[in-house]
Structure formats: structure tokens, C-alpha cells
Amino acid sequence: MTVLAFVIGIVLMIVGLAVSIALHELGHLVPAKRFGVRVGQYMIGFGPTLWSRQIGETQYGFKAIPLGGYISMAGMYPPSPKERAQAARGQRSGRAGGGFFATMVQDARVANDETLLSDDDDRVFYRLPVWKRVVIMLGGPVMNLLFAIVLFSILLSGIGVQTATTTVSSVSECIIPADAGRTVCAASDPVAPAAAAGLMPGDVLVEVDGQSISTFAEASAIIRESPGRSLTVVVERDGSRQTLTLTPAAIDQPVTDAAGQPVLDANGAAQTQTVGFAGIRQEVQYLHQPVWAGSATAVENVGAVAGIIWQLPVKVYETAVTLVSGGERDPNGPLSIVGAGILSGEVAAAEAPILNRVAGFLGLLASLNVALFVFNLVPLLPLDGGHIVVALWDGIKRTWAKIFRRPPPKPVDATKLVPVTFVVVIGLIVMGAVLILADLINPVSIL
């Protein structure tokens, strides 16, 4: 059953990723069509086409590799007169001289020219005003951000945040030694202090040792600091208050640091401390957050992800080092889609109530969409942020010409940046491969 749940979690993440990609491309498609741009394809995934359907002038479909998507807009770049003239005479040049990058530039221009119907084709991207081009390219990332806000809102306002109450959910019957290797009480085990004091499930803690209690953590702190000392405990039971006497047992517990790791002494042995133990567990409830909590959480996540993206090459290098050395990975470092799928599988297979697992999945998918939003705004081609920078540069050139009463400049030809785009793509492929290998060999785990 655990294996099946793990597989279901991975499948759900794949479906969630496909929905996220579909919404991203829809964010490009809708404004593009609204502004009159001719869109030839709307595809989810890359590689061989699994299914497609022609609706009007646009082909909609799914491809085999669900790691992205695209829409094909006419005239992303201005036409190249030389290649268009050659094409008109049936003399398509094919590969160009001048080296590898020159060939790439010409191929990009030829591919772009094939989306144009004529030199005066006005249903093309590059002819749009700058603000419309920015809106189209921003549409995709913004859809991911909005989807993340919806998911966080469902998580925080719909499901709620798990909060420990002052209500006792269960009382241990006995104290079982940590090295006993069992969970069932034996006749020789001492009675747990809470059971001896008469505490019962459903009791609401009101006071402990004369201090008013508003959270279970406050009661727990007093108990831990009072091993072997009698405490008066006031509880509310069936509408009335009762005063009980609780004497926490003294037990040895490992000392941990801020990360939850054992603290070792000079000889490498785990340090321990004596703390008080009562044997009660708190009741956990889901508290619904305000409707704006989802938006606030999404914005906070944007800042956190932006910090990671800014240092992405360094973070990926550190991940590569742990891949070779087998060291522990940074739990807040970058993940690949494979890593997100593994975490989703772990959430689905965890021994927890179904609502907890649903909440965990929604949080993962929401965080993934925040990452897609931030990553796609990086100002480098072929990412959306790169196209936005090109559009803004075109606008700056035109504004400069108007101010100084010069002739309108030619549209910015982004095909000249194809070599830079190629380098960026290779870099993304390498970083993606490192993260995928790390997620397979040395994954980050929630367990």
C-alpha cells in the first residue's frame, strides 16, 4: 500500500506540473490572441506529439516529455529581407557560412520568416506596441503566481494550519524505556505521571504550576523543567474545573541543536539532559487563516525563491559536491522536477491523516508554481524575462528617437542573441542534469 501511495503521489505531481504548464502557456495564448497575433501551436511538453487537434488557426496538443511547453507566435522577430528574398525565388540558403553560431542565427531567422505571410503581415508579435509584448510575455509567469496563490489559499484558508491546542488528546498508560524496543506496556513499567494524576483525554489545560496556559507549548515547557517536582494542574472537564497534582518523571533525553541534530561531546558521544515527562499528547486542530494569507505566503515564497535563483549556479555546484561526496544536501536548496516528484511520493506515502497529505501536496505544488514564476522572469533568452528585456530595449530605442526627433529605428532583431541563448540553454541543461542526478542518488527527503 505504501509503494502504491508513493506512485500515486508521483503521478499527482506530474498531473499538477502539466496543469501548471498548461496555465503558463494559456497566460501567453490569451493575450496574444486578444492582441491579434497569429498563434500556430499551443503545446504541452516537448518531443513527439502524442495528441493534437486543430481549432481554427491554432493546433492544440500534448507531447511526450512533460518538462515544459510553448506557443508558436507568428513573427517573434522582424523579418530578414535577404532570406525572404531567397525564399521567394525558391533559393532557401540552408546553412550559412561563418561558423556554428552564424549558422544558428540564420536558421533562427529562416524559422521565424516561415511564420510570416508577407512583408506587410500585421498579425505578428514584433509589430505590437511594447506594452502589449510585455503583457504577453508576463502572462505565463503571472498565471503561475496566480495558481500558487489559489493553492496557498486553499491550503491556508480552506484546510487551515495545524495548531496544537491546550486540549489533551491522549494519555500514556506507562513509561516505556527508550531502549525497550516495544510500544506495549509491560507489568514492570511504571505508571505514566499523567495517568497517575488522573488526567484524561478531552481535558483542557487551564493552569500549570499556577501559570495560566494559552498554548500546549507553555505547559510542555513547565513540565520539562520540573522533573520530580509536584505541580498543580487545573483542567476544564465537562464544563467544570478540576485541580490535579502531577509529578513529572525524570528521563534522560538527547540534546539537539537548532537543526534537530544530536549534540556530541568531546568524545563523540551524544549529550543528554534530564527533563520532566508527563505522558500526554496535545490535540491538533486546523485553524483557518484569513483570505489574504494565501497571497501573503505566495509573496514570501517569491522572495525566498528569488534568493535561491540569484545564487543558482553556486547552489547547483554545492549540490554537485554533495553528489560526489555523499554529504547532506541543503533542504532549502534547488530541486529538479524529479526531486519534486519524490517529495510528492513521500508525502502521499506518509503515515498521516489524508488531510495532512493533501495539505502537503498542495504546498509542494504551490511552491513549484512560485519557482516557475520567478525562474521565468530571469532576464535571459529563451526565458520570458529575456523576451521582456528585448521588448523594453526596443521601447527605449523608439522613445530615444522621438525625444531627439530621429527616424524610427528598426525593430530589435533578437535573433542576433541566438548564440547567447544557446549558451544559456546549455547551462540550464547542465544544471538540470546535475539536479536530476542528485535527486535520484542523494535526494532531499521529508522523512
Side-chain angles (χ1 to χ4, degrees):
M1 185 62 182
T2 301
V3 175
L4 178 60
F6 186 84
V7 173
I8 290 175
I10 293 177
V11 171
L12 286 176
M13 180 54 69
I14 292 174
V15 173
L17 175 62
V19 172
S20 303
I21 294 170
L23 290 173
H24 179 99
E25 299 307 329
L26 192 64
H28 293 313
L29 179 73
V30 172
K33 284 184 170 290
R34 178 66 180 82
F35 296 148
V37 178
R38 189 169 55 257
V39 180
Q41 288 186 317
Y42 169 95
M43 289 290 170
I44 308 303
F46 298 106
T49 301
L50 300 178
W51 174 88
S52 67
R53 183 177 180 182
Q54 189 77 25
I55 302 177
E57 63 186 11
T58 305
Q59 180 189 19
Y60 299 84
F62 294 92
K63 290 182 175 287
I65 306 173
L67 296 180
Y70 65 92
I71 67 169
S72 175
M73 290 184 288
M76 282 291 293
Y77 316 114
S80 46
K82 180 179 179 180
E83 279 73 36
R84 290 192 61 81
Q86 290 176 335
R89 295 194 303 269
Q91 299 175 352
R92 179 170 174 169
S93 58
R95 300 184 65 84
F100 176 72
F101 287 124
T103 299
M104 290 184 63
V105 170
Q106 180 169 313
D107 287 346
R109 286 173 173 168
V110 170
N112 179 73
D113 290 343
E114 289 176 348
T115 67
L116 305 175
L117 299 181
S118 63
D119 288 334
D120 57 355
D121 188 356
D122 59 357
R123 295 190 58 202
V124 291
F125 178 80
Y126 81 90
R127 288 184 181 271
L128 292 176
V130 171
W131 72 269
K132 289 186 178 181
R133 281 182 272 169
V134 171
V135 167
I136 291 174
M137 300 317 300
L138 272 178
V142 168
M143 284 296 284
N144 289 124
L145 179 61
L146 293 177
F147 190 33
I149 291 174
V150 169
L151 293 172
F152 277 129
S153 297
I154 293 173
L155 173 62
L156 300 176
S157 301
I159 296 176
V161 175
Q162 275 193 312
T163 305
T165 68
T166 56
T167 301
V168 176
S169 66
S170 63
V171 177
S172 300
E173 297 180 2
C174 65
I175 301 177
I176 301 176
D179 58 354
R182 54 184 169 83
T183 58
V184 179
C185 293
S188 59
D189 293 332
V191 177
L199 278 161
M200 300 175 61
D203 287 348
V204 179
L205 300 177
V206 178
E207 291 183 7
V208 176
D209 198 29
Q211 299 183 35
S212 296
I213 299 301
S214 58
T215 67
F216 196 89
E218 294 174 351
S220 179
I222 296 172
I223 292 170
R224 286 175 57 85
E225 295 170 359
S226 308
R229 185 167 68 89
S230 294
L231 306 173
T232 57
V233 178
V234 179
V235 301
E236 186 173 309
R237 181 186 297 169
D238 298 329
S240 62
R241 293 192 175 186
Q242 298 187 25
T243 301
L244 308 172
T245 300
L246 170 70
T247 303
I251 63 171
D252 290 332
Q253 191 176 70
V255 178
T256 58
D257 58 21
Q261 300 299 315
V263 176
L264 306 180
D265 59 19
N267 298 321
Q271 297 184 23
T272 61
Q273 60 182 346
T274 301
V275 298
F277 172 79
I280 55 176
R281 292 184 179 86
Q282 74 273 31
E283 185 176 282
V284 177
Q285 294 180 348
Y286 283 95
L287 297 184
H288 300 289
Q289 303 301 300
V291 293
W292 59 81
S295 300
T297 302
V299 172
E300 291 175 4
N301 273 259
V302 166
V305 173
I308 295 176
I309 296 296
W310 178 256
Q311 307 174 56
L312 188 59
V314 175
K315 293 289 186 181
V316 173
Y317 172 77
E318 292 173 350
T319 302
V321 171
T322 64
L323 181 61
V324 176
S325 66
E328 186 176 353
R329 287 178 61 183
D330 179 3
N332 297 316
L335 293 173
S336 69
I337 299 301
V338 172
I342 291 174
L343 288 182
S344 180
E346 289 188 352
V347 168
E351 294 182 2
I354 185 65
L355 195 58
N356 292 36
R357 288 182 274 177
V358 170
F361 173 75
L362 290 177
L364 279 174
L365 187 57
S367 299
L368 175 63
N369 274 271
V370 170
L372 289 174
F373 167 73
V374 176
F375 182 71
N376 276 283
L377 290 182
V378 173
L380 293 172
L381 290 172
L383 302 174
D384 297 330
H387 290 287
I388 292 172
V389 169
V390 170
L392 292 176
W393 176 241
D394 192 32
I396 291 172
K397 289 180 61 179
R398 292 179 181 279
T399 301
W400 187 266
K402 285 183 179 180
I403 292 175
F404 291 95
R405 297 181 180 180
R406 294 177 179 175
K410 294 181 180 180
V412 174
D413 183 6
T415 58
K416 295 179 180 179
L417 299 176
V418 165
V420 177
T421 303
F422 176 78
V423 173
V424 172
V425 169
I426 294 299
L428 294 177
I429 291 174
V430 171
M431 288 191 290
V434 169
L435 292 178
I436 289 174
L437 284 174
D439 289 332
L440 289 172
I441 299 174
N442 186 24
V444 173
S445 175
I446 61 173
L447 302 178

